Amino acid sequence: MLNLNENQDVYINQNFKSLHLTATEIIAKEFDNCTFTQCNFSDTAFRNCKFYECSFMNCNLSMISIKGCSFFDTAFEETKAIGINWTQAAWPTIKLSSPLRFFKCVLNHCSFFGLFLREISIIECSAKEVDFREADCLDADFTDTDLESSLFGKTNLTRADFSTASNYHIDVFENELKQAKFSLPEAVNLLSCLGIELVD
């Protein structure tokens, strides 16, 4: 197991396992191709940290603060990431695709308001009460994700895949849905904004 050294600012190709650094502060650290496994960072404040091609597996990141942090090609798997305000991060000025990928994670109560999330993967996740308003989610993949009470408004969902997602409520007049994928019976939720009633 490796610990974070106060006197070390850059970590390359390191594997961190079972770290427990809750309700603490981690400032100006850079992680390049690092893996975090079964680590608990809940309520920790990350300040101006950089994560390049890193992976978080089976970690607890609930309620972390990420003010000024940078992410590039960062993956989260079977990780709790509840209540994170992703708008606090330092997002790249050159916009290629989303630097984040989530698989089998809990993302409830997060905010992605107004962010550039093209090609983001949120697969087999719980994403309840998540704010996607005004985000650019072109080509996003929401496969098998529960989107109960999540917010979509002025969101670019062009070619987004909701084909096996559940519990979404998306106003077809308030969002860009060209070539987005939906499947029955969940797609009936799209009719709620039309004020019509389906009967058998």
Side-chain angles (χ1 to χ4, degrees), residues 3 12 40 42 62 73 88 105 127 132 145 179 189:
N3 282 307
I12 300 174
N40 187 357
S42 58
S62 296
D73 197 18
Q88 293 181 332
C105 293
F132 293 104
T145 289
Q179 295 182 316
N189 291 331

Side-chain angles (χ1 to χ4, degrees), residues 19 36 59 77 79 90 109 115 117 123 133 154 164 171:
L19 283 180
F36 299 85
C59 293
E77 184 173 342
T79 287
H109 308 288
L115 296 182
L117 302 173
I123 298 173
R133 291 175 300 167
K154 299 182 180 178
T164 53
D171 191 322

Side-chain angles (χ1 to χ4, degrees), residues 112-117 131-137 151-156 174-175:
F112 295 99
F113 181 89
L115 296 182
F116 188 90
L117 302 173
D131 192 348
F132 293 104
R133 291 175 300 167
E134 299 188 25
D136 188 344
C137 298
L151 300 176
F152 296 91
K154 299 182 180 178
T155 309
N156 182 7
E174 294 292 330
N175 298 277

Side-chain angles (χ1 to χ4, degrees), residues 143-187:
T143 301
D144 294 324
T145 289
D146 186 348
L147 293 159
E148 181 180 346
S149 300
S150 285
L151 300 176
F152 296 91
K154 299 182 180 178
T155 309
N156 182 7
L157 297 170
T158 301
R159 297 196 301 272
D161 189 351
F162 291 91
S163 58
T164 53
S166 62
N167 297 320
Y168 50 80
H169 291 277
I170 302 172
D171 191 322
V172 298
F173 299 113
E174 294 292 330
N175 298 277
E176 179 57 61
L177 294 169
K178 187 176 181 180
Q179 295 182 316
K181 297 178 182 178
F182 300 92
S183 60
L184 293 171
E186 288 292 331

Side-chain angles (χ1 to χ4, degrees), residues 37-199:
T37 306
Q38 297 177 340
C39 295
N40 187 357
F41 292 113
S42 58
D43 292 302
T44 285
F46 290 89
R47 297 282 185 264
N48 302 316
C49 294
K50 297 179 180 180
F51 298 89
Y52 297 101
E53 298 181 337
C54 291
S55 297
F56 291 84
M57 303 180 67
N58 197 21
C59 293
N60 186 355
L61 306 178
S62 296
M63 302 303 295
I64 64 170
S65 173
I66 53 172
K67 189 173 183 180
C69 292
S70 300
F71 298 87
F72 175 78
D73 197 18
T74 302
F76 303 83
E77 184 173 342
E78 295 185 343
T79 287
K80 289 183 179 179
I82 299 171
I84 299 176
N85 183 359
W86 291 96
T87 67
Q88 293 181 332
W91 291 79
T93 54
I94 299 176
K95 299 177 179 179
L96 299 175
S97 61
S98 172
L100 307 172
R101 301 190 310 276
F102 301 96
F103 179 66
K104 292 186 176 180
C105 293
V106 181
L107 306 176
N108 302 341
H109 308 288
C110 285
S111 177
F112 295 99
F113 181 89
L115 296 182
F116 188 90
L117 302 173
R118 291 192 172 192
E119 299 180 19
I120 192 171
S121 296
I122 302 179
I123 298 173
E124 293 186 39
C125 294
S126 175
K128 299 178 181 179
E129 298 187 50
V130 175
D131 192 348
F132 293 104
R133 291 175 300 167
E134 299 188 25
D136 188 344
C137 298
L138 180 142
D139 288 318
D141 188 348
F142 294 98
T143 301
D144 294 324
T145 289
D146 186 348
L147 293 159
E148 181 180 346
S149 300
S150 285
L151 300 176
F152 296 91
K154 299 182 180 178
T155 309
N156 182 7
L157 297 170
T158 301
R159 297 196 301 272
D161 189 351
F162 291 91
S163 58
T164 53
S166 62
N167 297 320
Y168 50 80
H169 291 277
I170 302 172
D171 191 322
V172 298
F173 299 113
E174 294 292 330
N175 298 277
E176 179 57 61
L177 294 169
K178 187 176 181 180
Q179 295 182 316
K181 297 178 182 178
F182 300 92
S183 60
L184 293 171
E186 288 292 331
V188 174
N189 291 331
L190 297 173
L191 301 178
S192 61
C193 62
L194 301 177
I196 64 176
E197 180 181 355
L198 290 179
V199 296

